[in-house]
Amino acid sequence: THTHTTEPKITEVTENGSPKKTVEESDSEETSVTGSALTDRIALAEKAKEDGNAKYKAGEFQAALEAYELALTHAPKVKSARALRAVLQSNRSTCLVHLNQAHEALDAAMRSVRLNPDWFKGYLRLAHAYKALGDLDECAQQLFEALSRDPENHVLRKEFKAAFDEAKAAFQKKGGK
């Protein structure tokens, strides 16, 4: 038995990363996964995630991506696993940026934010995907969103300032004031 939940709207993007149209994305939440089956699936997802983390740290981005995707197949679509699924989508996004697949990275980052809109890292991944697409304004905006969710993060603050300055310089170079 599946129960459909209404998810927030996300924006579909064109090839250049600009908004195309608003679409409803709804993930069906599984209601039949409970007890030990739920615990087992989460454990399998966590194991695959840790494998992906090790591969990522070794610079094996394709192998890490595959591990995170495997983890997503195990991670149940239940409320208690939303944070895990958000992390897995975030990790997929950063791998995809490293693999020069910016549009796919943007999609994964949007999924991460949709799953956990209060977590700064989803917005950080959006920023990196937008930067890979060459959209410096949106990169700075998403870094601001990340910073607003983790205002004490000094590394994030420095990255936001650098992105803001880069976007401002690009704007001025185009003749803006």
Side-chain angles (χ1 to χ4, degrees):
T1 308
H2 293 289
T3 304
H4 292 284
T5 59
T6 303
E7 296 291 336
K9 290 184 178 184
I10 64 165
T11 303
E12 188 174 310
V13 293
T14 61
E15 284 299 310
N16 69 3
S18 61
K20 185 160 77 172
K21 63 180 180 177
T22 303
V23 295
E24 229 13 82
E25 274 219 6
S26 60
D27 287 325
S28 302
E29 286 211 357
E30 300 172 57
T31 55
S32 60
V33 182
T34 58
S36 64
L38 177 62
T39 305
D40 291 347
R41 285 187 55 190
I42 290 175
L44 287 169
E46 289 284 356
K47 184 177 180 335
K49 181 184 91 167
E50 293 307 317
D51 182 45
N53 291 350
K55 288 180 173 27
Y56 181 86
K57 286 177 186 165
E60 299 172 22
F61 304 119
Q62 183 63 45
L65 176 64
E66 291 166 11
Y68 297 136
E69 289 174 348
L70 175 63
L72 276 166
T73 66
H74 293 302
K77 292 182 180 180
V78 296
K79 192 172 187 174
S80 62
R82 285 177 76 86
L84 172 60
R85 294 179 68 77
V87 168
L88 294 170
Q89 290 291 359
S90 171
N91 291 357
R92 284 185 66 245
S93 180
T94 197
C95 288
L96 289 161
V97 165
H98 283 288
L99 294 167
N100 298 314
Q101 297 177 34
H103 288 98
E104 293 85 353
L106 183 63
D107 179 65
M110 285 180 173
R111 290 172 188 267
S112 179
V113 167
R114 194 179 78 249
L115 287 162
N116 190 353
D118 297 326
W119 186 45
F120 83 94
K121 206 169 267 189
Y123 298 92
L124 178 63
R125 301 300 189 228
L126 278 173
H128 293 165
Y130 277 116
K131 184 169 185 170
L133 289 167
D135 190 338
L136 300 178
D137 292 338
E138 195 60 38
C139 171
Q141 177 62 42
Q142 296 306 321
L143 283 168
F144 177 80
E145 292 295 331
L147 190 57
S148 72
R149 285 156 177 84
D150 189 6
E152 301 303 315
N153 187 324
H154 299 291
V155 173
L156 195 55
R157 186 174 293 148
K158 285 173 79 172
E159 188 172 350
F160 167 70
K161 182 173 179 350
F164 179 82
D165 290 346
E166 189 177 0
K168 183 178 173 184
F171 177 74
Q172 289 172 338
K173 188 175 181 180
K174 290 180 184 175
K177 294 184 182 193

